[in-house]
Coordinates of all heavy atoms in Angstrom, one line a residue:
I1017 N 20.7 46.3 -19.0 CA 20.4 47.0 -17.7 C 19.9 46.1 -16.8 O 19.0 45.3 -17.1 CB 19.3 48.1 -18.0 CG1 19.7 49.2 -18.8 CG2 18.8 48.6 -16.6 CD1 18.7 50.1 -19.3
E1018 N 20.6 46.0 -15.5 CA 20.1 45.0 -14.5 C 20.9 45.4 -13.3 O 22.1 45.1 -13.1 CB 20.6 43.6 -14.9 CG 20.2 42.5 -14.0 CD 18.7 42.3 -13.7 OE1 18.2 43.2 -13.0 OE2 18.2 41.3 -14.3
P1019 N 20.2 45.9 -12.3 CA 18.8 46.3 -12.3 C 18.7 47.9 -12.6 O 19.6 48.6 -12.7 CB 18.3 46.0 -11.0 CG 19.6 46.3 -10.1 CD 20.7 46.0 -10.9
L1020 N 17.5 48.4 -12.6 CA 17.1 49.8 -12.6 C 16.0 50.0 -11.7 O 15.0 49.4 -11.8 CB 16.8 50.3 -14.0 CG 16.4 51.7 -14.2 CD1 16.8 52.3 -15.7 CD2 15.0 52.0 -13.9
G1021 N 16.1 51.0 -10.7 CA 15.1 51.3 -9.8 C 15.2 52.7 -9.5 O 16.0 53.5 -9.5
V1022 N 13.9 53.2 -9.2 CA 13.6 54.6 -8.9 C 13.1 54.6 -7.4 O 12.2 53.8 -7.0 CB 12.5 55.3 -9.7 CG1 12.1 56.7 -9.3 CG2 13.0 55.3 -11.3
H1023 N 13.6 55.4 -6.5 CA 13.3 55.5 -5.2 C 11.8 55.7 -5.0 O 11.1 56.6 -5.7 CB 14.1 56.8 -4.6 CG 14.1 56.7 -3.1 ND1 13.0 56.9 -2.4 CD2 15.2 56.7 -2.2 CE1 13.2 56.8 -1.0 NE2 14.6 56.7 -0.9
R1024 N 11.1 54.9 -4.1 CA 9.7 55.0 -4.0 C 9.3 56.3 -3.6 O 8.0 56.7 -3.8 CB 9.3 54.0 -3.0 CG 9.8 54.0 -1.5 CD 9.0 53.0 -0.6 NE 9.4 51.7 -1.0 CZ 10.5 51.0 -0.7 NH1 11.4 51.6 0.2 NH2 10.6 49.7 -1.1
A1025 N 10.1 57.2 -2.9 CA 9.7 58.6 -2.5 C 9.8 59.5 -3.7 O 9.3 60.8 -3.5 CB 10.5 59.0 -1.4
H1026 N 10.3 59.2 -4.9 CA 10.6 60.2 -5.9 C 9.9 59.5 -7.3 O 10.4 59.9 -8.4 CB 12.1 60.3 -6.1 CG 12.7 61.0 -4.9 ND1 12.7 62.2 -4.7 CD2 13.4 60.3 -3.9 CE1 13.4 62.5 -3.4 NE2 13.7 61.3 -3.0
R1027 N 8.8 58.9 -7.3 CA 8.4 58.4 -8.5 C 7.4 59.3 -9.1 O 7.1 60.3 -8.6 CB 7.6 57.0 -8.2 CG 8.8 56.0 -7.8 CD 8.0 54.6 -7.4 NE 9.2 53.7 -7.0 CZ 9.0 52.6 -6.4 NH1 7.6 52.2 -6.0 NH2 9.9 51.9 -6.1
R1028 N 7.2 59.0 -10.4 CA 6.2 59.9 -11.2 C 6.6 61.2 -11.5 O 5.9 62.1 -11.6 CB 4.9 60.0 -10.6 CG 4.1 58.5 -10.4 CD 2.7 58.7 -9.9 NE 2.0 57.3 -9.9 CZ 2.1 56.5 -9.0 NH1 3.1 56.7 -8.0 NH2 1.7 55.2 -9.2
H1029 N 8.1 61.4 -11.6 CA 8.6 62.7 -11.9 C 9.6 62.5 -13.1 O 10.3 63.4 -13.4 CB 9.4 63.2 -10.7 CG 8.5 63.6 -9.5 ND1 7.7 64.6 -9.5 CD2 8.5 63.0 -8.4 CE1 7.1 64.7 -8.5 NE2 7.5 63.6 -7.6
G1030 N 9.5 61.5 -13.9 CA 10.3 61.1 -15.0 C 11.7 60.7 -14.7 O 12.5 60.5 -15.6
H1031 N 11.9 60.4 -13.5 CA 13.3 59.9 -13.2 C 13.7 58.5 -13.8 O 14.8 58.2 -14.1 CB 13.5 59.9 -11.7 CG 13.3 61.1 -10.9 ND1 13.8 62.3 -11.5 CD2 12.5 61.4 -9.8 CE1 13.5 63.3 -10.6 NE2 12.7 62.8 -9.7
G1032 N 12.7 57.7 -13.9 CA 12.9 56.3 -14.7 C 13.4 56.6 -16.0 O 14.3 55.9 -16.5
R1033 N 12.7 57.5 -16.7 CA 13.2 57.8 -18.2 C 14.6 58.4 -18.2 O 15.5 57.9 -19.0 CB 12.2 58.7 -18.8 CG 12.6 59.0 -20.2 CD 11.7 60.1 -20.9 NE 12.0 60.4 -22.2 CZ 12.8 61.4 -22.6 NH1 13.4 62.2 -21.5 NH2 13.2 61.7 -23.8
A1034 N 14.8 59.3 -17.4 CA 16.1 59.9 -17.2 C 17.2 58.9 -17.0 O 18.2 59.0 -17.8 CB 16.1 61.1 -16.2
V1035 N 17.1 58.1 -16.0 CA 18.2 57.1 -15.7 C 18.3 56.1 -16.8 O 19.4 55.5 -17.0 CB 17.9 56.5 -14.3 CG1 16.9 55.5 -14.2 CG2 19.3 56.0 -13.7
T1036 N 17.2 55.8 -17.4 CA 17.4 54.7 -18.7 C 18.2 55.4 -19.7 O 19.1 54.8 -20.3 CB 16.0 54.5 -19.1 OG1 15.2 53.8 -18.1 CG2 16.1 53.4 -20.3
L1037 N 18.0 56.8 -20.0 CA 18.8 57.4 -20.9 C 20.3 57.5 -20.5 O 21.1 57.3 -21.3 CB 18.3 58.9 -21.2 CG 16.9 58.9 -21.8 CD1 16.5 60.4 -21.9 CD2 17.1 58.5 -23.4
A1038 N 20.5 57.7 -19.2 CA 21.8 57.7 -18.7 C 22.5 56.3 -18.9 O 23.7 56.3 -19.1 CB 21.9 58.2 -17.2
A1039 N 21.7 55.4 -18.7 CA 22.2 54.0 -18.8 C 22.7 53.7 -20.3 O 23.7 53.1 -20.6 CB 21.3 53.0 -18.4
A1040 N 21.7 54.1 -21.2 CA 22.1 53.9 -22.5 C 23.3 54.7 -23.0 O 24.1 54.2 -23.8 CB 20.8 54.4 -23.4
R1041 N 23.4 56.0 -22.5 CA 24.7 56.7 -22.8 C 25.9 56.1 -22.2 O 27.0 56.1 -22.9 CB 24.4 58.2 -22.2 CG 23.5 59.1 -23.1 CD 23.1 60.2 -22.2 NE 24.2 61.2 -22.0 CZ 24.5 62.3 -22.9 NH1 23.8 62.4 -24.1 NH2 25.5 63.0 -22.7
A1042 N 25.8 55.6 -21.1 CA 26.9 54.9 -20.5 C 27.4 53.8 -21.3 O 28.6 53.5 -21.6 CB 26.7 54.5 -19.1
L1043 N 26.4 53.0 -21.8 CA 26.8 51.7 -22.6 C 27.3 52.1 -23.9 O 28.3 51.6 -24.5 CB 25.6 50.9 -22.7 CG 25.3 49.9 -21.5 CD1 23.9 49.3 -21.7 CD2 26.4 48.9 -21.3
R1044 N 26.9 53.2 -24.5 CA 27.3 53.7 -25.9 C 28.8 54.1 -25.7 O 29.6 53.9 -26.6 CB 26.5 54.8 -26.3 CG 26.9 55.2 -27.8 CD 26.0 56.2 -28.3 NE 26.1 56.5 -29.8 CZ 27.0 57.4 -30.3 NH1 27.4 58.2 -29.4 NH2 27.2 57.6 -31.5
Q1045 N 29.2 54.9 -24.5 CA 30.4 55.2 -24.3 C 31.4 54.1 -24.2 O 32.5 54.2 -24.4 CB 30.5 56.2 -23.1 CG 31.8 56.8 -22.7 CD 31.8 57.6 -21.5 OE1 30.9 57.5 -20.7 NE2 32.7 58.5 -21.4
A1046 N 30.8 53.1 -23.6 CA 31.7 51.7 -23.4 C 31.8 51.0 -24.7 O 32.5 50.0 -24.6 CB 31.1 50.9 -22.3
G1047 N 31.2 51.5 -25.7 CA 31.3 50.8 -27.1 C 30.3 49.7 -27.3 O 30.4 49.0 -28.4
S1048 N 29.2 49.6 -26.4 CA 28.1 48.7 -26.7 C 27.4 49.0 -28.1 O 27.1 50.2 -28.3 CB 27.2 48.6 -25.6 OG 27.9 48.2 -24.4
S1049 N 26.9 47.9 -28.7 CA 26.2 48.2 -30.0 C 24.8 48.5 -29.8 O 24.0 49.1 -30.5 CB 26.2 47.0 -30.7 OG 25.7 45.8 -30.1
S1050 N 24.1 48.0 -28.6 CA 22.7 48.3 -28.2 C 22.6 48.0 -26.7 O 23.6 47.6 -26.0 CB 21.8 47.2 -29.0 OG 22.1 45.9 -28.5
V1051 N 21.4 48.5 -26.3 CA 21.1 48.4 -24.8 C 19.8 47.5 -24.7 O 18.8 47.6 -25.5 CB 21.0 49.6 -24.1 CG1 19.9 50.6 -24.7 CG2 20.4 49.4 -22.6
L1052 N 19.8 46.5 -23.9 CA 18.7 45.6 -23.7 C 18.2 45.6 -22.2 O 18.9 45.7 -21.4 CB 19.1 44.1 -24.0 CG 19.6 43.8 -25.4 CD1 20.3 42.5 -25.5 CD2 18.4 43.9 -26.5
V1053 N 16.9 45.4 -22.1 CA 16.3 45.2 -20.7 C 15.1 44.2 -20.9 O 14.4 44.3 -21.9 CB 15.9 46.6 -20.2 CG1 14.7 47.2 -21.0 CG2 15.6 46.5 -18.7
C1054 N 14.9 43.6 -19.7 CA 13.6 42.7 -19.8 C 12.9 42.9 -18.5 O 13.4 43.1 -17.4 CB 14.2 41.3 -19.8 SG 13.1 39.9 -19.8

Side-chain angles (χ1 to χ4, degrees):
I1017 291 172
E1018 179 66 284
L1020 182 151
V1022 178
H1023 195 298
R1024 63 176 59 91
H1026 298 279
R1027 292 173 181 166
R1028 297 182 175 85
H1029 297 289
H1031 301 314
R1033 175 182 182 273
V1035 78
T1036 301
L1037 289 172
R1041 286 168 67 93
L1043 283 171
R1044 186 172 189 270
Q1045 184 177 18
S1048 296
S1049 56
S1050 62
V1051 54
L1052 298 165
V1053 70
C1054 182

